[in-house]
Amino acid sequence: MRTLVLCFAGLLGLGTTRAYYVIQADNGLYRGDWGFEEHCSYGGGNFTAGEERGATFVSSFDFKFETTNHIDNTAGNAVKLYCSDTSGHIVDYISSTEGNYGTWQGLRSCARGHYITGFRQRVLESQGTFGDDWGVDNVQVQCDDGTVLDGLDGVPPAQQDAPLRSEFRGDARMHGEWGSWALCPAGAVVSGVSTRVEQGHPFDDDAGLCDIIMFCSEV
């Protein structure tokens, strides 16, 4: 499901504007709180004095996941999106709200010079009064060359100078249902994220990561 809401934002006090298209999956849970929007910088990478800073876009992602060996399983707890410059070098990452639990599963990267254009999420619906609820238990993204990367079963990380790389752990899987793909419009790629997370209740059933919004901008 694709939402084509167009907004504008000035970045870094440079007086520039950047158009964003908002995309959201069709199976998120109405639980928890939305975090702040985080966007790739309008600038970064290798540049010298006098050069205009180029925009950066999302080329890789990581998924924070809690295994099934807890009383209150929360499955997914966060996504981390890595921003690359036009030469393919990762220069930063964005993540919005992060749940308290789980382990980062490892970097998943599009081929060098390619960017993420959309995503879908796997979500477990409410399990009733006595069931253990969780929200998003996996995320897949699509690169602009058609490659699909999986948060739990993805391809090995690309060989590039990526910061904060973590190792794939192959944790136990959950069993929600996949929603539809949320895709950027033609000519645009992912450049921002906001996440909805339920966490921190001492005696209640937490659902962890419940929904994701991504922002697209034109390359």
Side-chain angles (χ1 to χ4, degrees):
M1 181 175 180
R2 186 171 71 188
T3 305
L4 296 180
V5 177
L6 183 62
C7 56
F8 294 86
L11 299 176
L12 303 180
L14 300 178
T16 57
T17 59
R18 192 177 185 183
Y20 293 110
Y21 301 86
V22 181
I23 58 174
Q24 186 173 8
D26 58 0
N27 62 338
L29 297 184
Y30 293 98
R31 296 175 59 163
D33 299 308
W34 285 104
F36 290 109
E37 297 177 15
E38 293 193 10
H39 297 269
C40 292
S41 60
Y42 193 77
N46 299 320
F47 60 92
T48 58
E51 289 183 326
E52 182 181 354
R53 293 188 176 190
T56 60
F57 306 95
V58 175
S59 62
S60 309
F61 87 112
D62 200 350
F63 180 54
K64 189 177 183 183
F65 178 82
E66 183 186 38
T67 60
T68 57
N69 57 350
H70 300 275
I71 295 175
D72 180 12
N73 301 302
T74 55
N77 273 262
V79 292
K80 188 181 290 183
L81 306 183
Y82 290 83
C83 307
S84 292
D85 59 21
T86 54
S87 64
H89 293 93
I90 292 177
V91 299
D92 198 4
Y93 72 83
I94 53 179
S95 61
S96 190
T97 297
E98 180 179 333
N100 294 326
Y101 310 108
T103 303
W104 291 104
Q105 295 297 292
L107 194 69
R108 310 285 186 257
S109 297
C110 298
R112 185 181 290 273
H114 292 272
Y115 302 109
I116 291 172
T117 56
F119 76 101
R120 66 174 182 166
Q121 57 191 22
R122 196 172 67 188
V123 175
L124 182 74
E125 296 291 345
S126 173
Q127 298 300 291
T129 303
F130 302 105
D132 178 16
D133 294 335
W134 57 78
V136 178
D137 67 22
N138 199 3
V139 176
Q140 291 180 337
V141 302
Q142 179 174 287
C143 303
D144 57 15
D145 63 357
T147 302
V148 173
L149 307 176
D150 188 285
L152 293 175
D153 301 310
V155 298
Q159 298 302 311
Q160 56 182 326
D161 52 347
L164 303 178
R165 172 177 167 179
S166 57
E167 295 298 325
F168 173 62
R169 294 178 177 269
D171 288 335
R173 276 42 175 169
M174 299 292 191
H175 50 272
E177 297 293 333
W178 287 106
S180 301
W181 283 95
L183 299 173
C184 299
V189 298
V190 173
S191 61
V193 67
S194 178
T195 55
R196 185 174 191 168
V197 176
E198 183 185 53
Q199 62 179 339
H201 301 149
F203 304 105
D204 293 336
D205 180 15
D206 297 329
L209 179 64
C210 292
D211 204 0
I212 302 170
I213 287 175
M214 292 190 185
F215 302 90
C216 308
S217 53
E218 294 182 355
V219 179

